[in-house]
Amino acid sequence: MIRIVRPRLPTELEASLLVLTQEMARTPVTERGEQAERMWERKTVRRDVYRPVREALEDMAPGVDCCMYCGNHLADTVDHFVPKSQCGLRTFYWPNLLLACSTCNTRFKGNKYRSDGLVGSLLVDPTREDPFDHLDLGLASGVYRPVEDSPKGEWTIKVCGLNEGKRPRVRAEAWLNLADDLEGWARARADGDRKNMRRKVYRMRTQPFADVCYAALHKAVSGDAPRIFAAEEPGVLELLRDGELRAAFQV
Ligand SMILES: [Zn+2]
């Protein structure tokens, strides 16, 4: 899970969402959950709202439509951060909408949002805060752990199933691929081969689990970096800290 910047929507789409929210506000509170389901499935909403919202989220997402929870690519559902069954008024509220893969949306996260009442949601919202404050990704293992026993980190790992199934294994593979591509990028630079440098950056940016790449870039500038990267090839840390490479990733 990585930090994602949420842009404003085109004015027309923003206005359409507002009209739907106003319609929801006129619905009695006790009926909003069911009404939200009905409105979300409405034919005109699917065509004029759902589709453009999903496209806006795909543009926002890292890599190739990476799920904003687990980081895997080709996510294709719009998820309500606060489930519409719990707060119908947020069904058409842009800051409540995230791009999710169907595994996160239905099998893991589903309706398991929770609020502790005082400090807001216990689930990390990557569009509002930096997930790295709560979640640490082991690059070689592909396993997430909470940062300093962060309750938010713990809850997020559990709710989103971040360490379930083959996810850690695929992340660990992504890290090996990334290390190879970094070395390929450095060789291309030494040869003055700009085209190949761009290709390597494109490959690194678009591989599944974009969180691996951004976690590596994040860890490389932390005080603990020499220890974290001690087991890796000697040049890897240096490359992750390279100004030209970081500029290509806009970090
Ligand atoms: Zn996912």
Side-chain angles (χ1 to χ4, degrees), residues 120-159:
S121 164
L122 263 183
L123 183 64
V124 174
D125 179 347
T127 66
R128 286 177 192 263
E129 60 197 317
D130 190 346
F132 292 143
D133 290 343
H134 301 281
L135 296 164
D136 178 61
L137 174 62
L139 295 171
S141 65
V143 170
Y144 271 103
R145 304 223 176 280
V147 170
E148 293 167 6
D149 294 330
S150 154
K152 254 191 168 183
E154 226 166 275
W155 179 249
T156 302
I157 291 167
K158 191 173 151 202
V159 163

Side-chain angles (χ1 to χ4, degrees), residues 181-247:
D181 283 338
L182 279 171
E183 284 166 12
W185 179 85
R187 277 197 302 275
R189 181 166 64 173
D191 294 343
D193 185 349
R194 310 294 301 177
K195 191 178 160 200
N196 208 12
M197 285 170 76
R198 280 196 299 276
R199 272 182 62 169
K200 293 290 179 199
V201 168
Y202 177 77
R203 262 176 60 104
M204 289 187 264
R205 290 180 73 122
T206 55
Q207 70 168 342
F209 287 105
D211 48 342
V212 173
C213 181
Y214 287 91
L217 289 162
H218 174 79
K219 282 166 180 276
V221 291
S222 74
D224 219 12
R227 186 192 60 76
I228 295 170
F229 291 91
E232 307 300 335
E233 293 291 321
V236 167
L237 176 57
E238 213 176 296
L239 285 168
L240 287 166
R241 286 174 163 177
D242 187 281
E244 192 179 359
L245 182 98
R246 296 182 74 84

Side-chain angles (χ1 to χ4, degrees), residues 4-251:
I4 294 158
V5 178
R6 185 184 291 277
R8 278 195 70 162
L9 286 175
T11 321
E12 214 175 285
L13 184 54
E14 217 171 50
S16 303
L17 287 170
L18 185 61
V19 168
L20 291 162
T21 300
Q22 286 165 339
E23 184 182 335
M24 184 64 74
R26 291 192 295 273
T27 306
V29 178
T30 51
E31 293 166 26
R32 281 182 191 162
E34 280 175 23
Q35 176 69 350
E37 291 294 342
R38 278 196 296 272
M39 286 174 73
W40 192 244
E41 294 304 326
R42 203 182 271 170
K43 222 175 182 178
T44 49
V45 169
R46 300 304 282 184
R47 188 189 60 210
D48 304 331
V49 175
Y50 181 90
R51 198 187 298 168
V53 160
R54 198 180 85 182
E55 284 167 4
L57 289 170
E58 286 169 356
D59 288 344
M60 249 170 86
V64 183
D65 307 342
C66 283
C67 172
M68 294 178 181
Y69 297 109
C70 74
N72 203 2
H73 67 339
L74 304 178
D76 60 356
T77 68
V78 176
D79 174 66
H80 292 86
F81 185 76
V82 179
K84 46 191 182 315
S85 59
Q86 290 185 26
C87 183
L89 265 187
R90 294 196 204 199
T91 306
F92 300 101
Y93 181 53
W94 172 232
N96 193 43
L97 305 176
L98 276 79
L99 188 72
C101 67
S102 52
T103 310
C104 282
N105 201 355
T106 52
R107 186 169 151 215
F108 291 123
K109 178 178 171 281
N111 289 336
K112 292 196 284 284
Y113 166 88
R114 179 179 118 179
S115 170
D116 62 6
L118 288 172
V119 290
S121 164
L122 263 183
L123 183 64
V124 174
D125 179 347
T127 66
R128 286 177 192 263
E129 60 197 317
D130 190 346
F132 292 143
D133 290 343
H134 301 281
L135 296 164
D136 178 61
L137 174 62
L139 295 171
S141 65
V143 170
Y144 271 103
R145 304 223 176 280
V147 170
E148 293 167 6
D149 294 330
S150 154
K152 254 191 168 183
E154 226 166 275
W155 179 249
T156 302
I157 291 167
K158 191 173 151 202
V159 163
C160 297
L162 294 184
N163 293 334
E164 295 296 325
K166 291 180 182 160
R167 288 175 165 182
R169 204 179 87 192
V170 182
R171 282 194 206 101
E173 274 169 25
W175 167 236
L176 293 177
N177 289 336
L178 181 67
D180 285 350
D181 283 338
L182 279 171
E183 284 166 12
W185 179 85
R187 277 197 302 275
R189 181 166 64 173
D191 294 343
D193 185 349
R194 310 294 301 177
K195 191 178 160 200
N196 208 12
M197 285 170 76
R198 280 196 299 276
R199 272 182 62 169
K200 293 290 179 199
V201 168
Y202 177 77
R203 262 176 60 104
M204 289 187 264
R205 290 180 73 122
T206 55
Q207 70 168 342
F209 287 105
D211 48 342
V212 173
C213 181
Y214 287 91
L217 289 162
H218 174 79
K219 282 166 180 276
V221 291
S222 74
D224 219 12
R227 186 192 60 76
I228 295 170
F229 291 91
E232 307 300 335
E233 293 291 321
V236 167
L237 176 57
E238 213 176 296
L239 285 168
L240 287 166
R241 286 174 163 177
D242 187 281
E244 192 179 359
L245 182 98
R246 296 182 74 84
F249 282 92
Q250 295 162 341
V251 291

